[in-house]
Amino acid sequence: MKYVLEFLQFRLIVFLMILIVLSGTGVGITYGSSLTWLAIAGGIVLFGLIEYVVHRYIMHELPALLPKAYEGHVAHHQHPNDDRYLFGSVWYEVVTYPLLLLLFWTLTGELHLALSVVFGTVLCQMYYQWKHFVSHRPIVPLTPWGKWLKKKHLLHHYLDEHAWYGVSNPVMDVVMGTNKVAPDAKAAKRSLDSSTENM
């Protein structure tokens, strides 16, 4: 319970909870489409894509796109357990979610479907944020799935930062071939392990 309360105190998490309530309420109030669940699922899939693309390209490979976000992520890699660098700025989400709503409202012509996409996306982002938080706290996940995700994220931090970009799911890593560490990273790990065994 201690870590749940800690998780809930971060501004980004508070913002996402408010967004879940607002978009979920909006979906309920405007309900009337047979495509509601498809749109929610689409939002979940969309976040999976965003998670991978942002983490791999903006946070690692193309720092010039969003230099401040990149700098924050570098600090997170340098201090992975420091909660100052555990979450991104809430301002990125404050800008992104209204744009996402407008984009899907324009594409679908229905506020209800746009709200459904936003609802699915923000639900998935909250799941992502929790999985990321658990990876950097002394929490033992309850399920084999949770333990596996934590292990892969820690491999990303401590073995090969160019592998395992998906924090909440491995699908895009499998598709893009980033679901395994590079051979030279494995060799470096073995060398480090053998040198520390004699200490």
Side-chain angles (χ1 to χ4, degrees):
M1 193 60 176
K2 167 189 170 185
Y3 292 110
V4 172
L5 293 175
E6 180 186 349
F7 178 72
L8 295 175
Q9 76 177 342
F10 290 96
R11 286 189 310 175
L12 176 61
I13 302 308
V14 171
F15 175 77
L16 294 176
M17 286 190 303
I18 291 168
L19 198 53
I20 286 170
V21 170
L22 291 176
S23 60
T25 301
V27 169
I29 290 171
T30 62
Y31 186 77
S33 172
S34 59
L35 299 175
T36 302
W37 291 105
L38 187 62
I40 291 171
I44 291 169
V45 170
L46 176 64
F47 184 80
L49 294 171
I50 290 170
E51 173 187 345
Y52 183 87
V53 167
V54 167
H55 191 185
R56 179 176 180 178
Y57 297 106
I58 292 176
M59 304 300 183
H60 283 275
E61 294 183 10
L62 302 169
L65 291 177
L66 283 173
K68 288 290 184 194
Y70 173 78
E71 289 168 18
H73 196 67
V74 167
H76 172 55
H77 271 263
Q78 291 169 342
H79 311 282
N81 298 320
D82 189 331
D83 65 9
R84 290 175 298 168
Y85 309 114
L86 201 51
F87 298 95
S89 171
V90 70
W91 295 110
Y92 292 117
E93 312 310 325
V94 168
V95 171
T96 301
Y97 275 103
L99 292 174
L100 188 66
L101 179 67
L102 288 172
L103 172 66
F104 281 95
W105 194 353
T106 302
L107 290 174
T108 65
E110 290 187 40
L111 176 60
H112 170 72
L113 292 178
L115 285 166
S116 298
V117 171
V118 168
F119 183 63
T121 304
V122 73
L123 279 178
C124 197
Q125 184 176 5
M126 183 65 87
Y127 169 74
Y128 158 85
Q129 295 294 351
W130 174 250
K131 289 299 178 189
H132 188 236
F133 179 78
V134 166
S135 293
H136 293 284
R137 285 291 181 262
I139 300 170
V140 177
L142 299 175
T143 65
W145 171 250
K147 290 174 184 172
W148 185 82
L149 284 176
K150 181 170 182 167
K151 176 184 174 184
K152 295 306 178 187
H153 187 60
L154 293 178
L155 287 175
H156 169 76
H157 271 275
Y158 297 106
L159 183 57
D160 185 357
E161 70 175 36
H162 301 292
W164 297 109
Y165 295 104
V167 175
S168 67
N169 74 81
V171 173
M172 287 301 297
D173 281 305
V174 171
V175 169
M176 299 298 287
T178 52
N179 62 325
K180 49 196 166 292
V181 297
D184 56 341
K186 287 182 186 176
K189 170 87 166 63
R190 281 194 301 272
S191 173
L192 180 64
D193 288 346
S194 64
S195 67
T196 56
E197 281 174 8
N198 300 325
M199 293 182 164

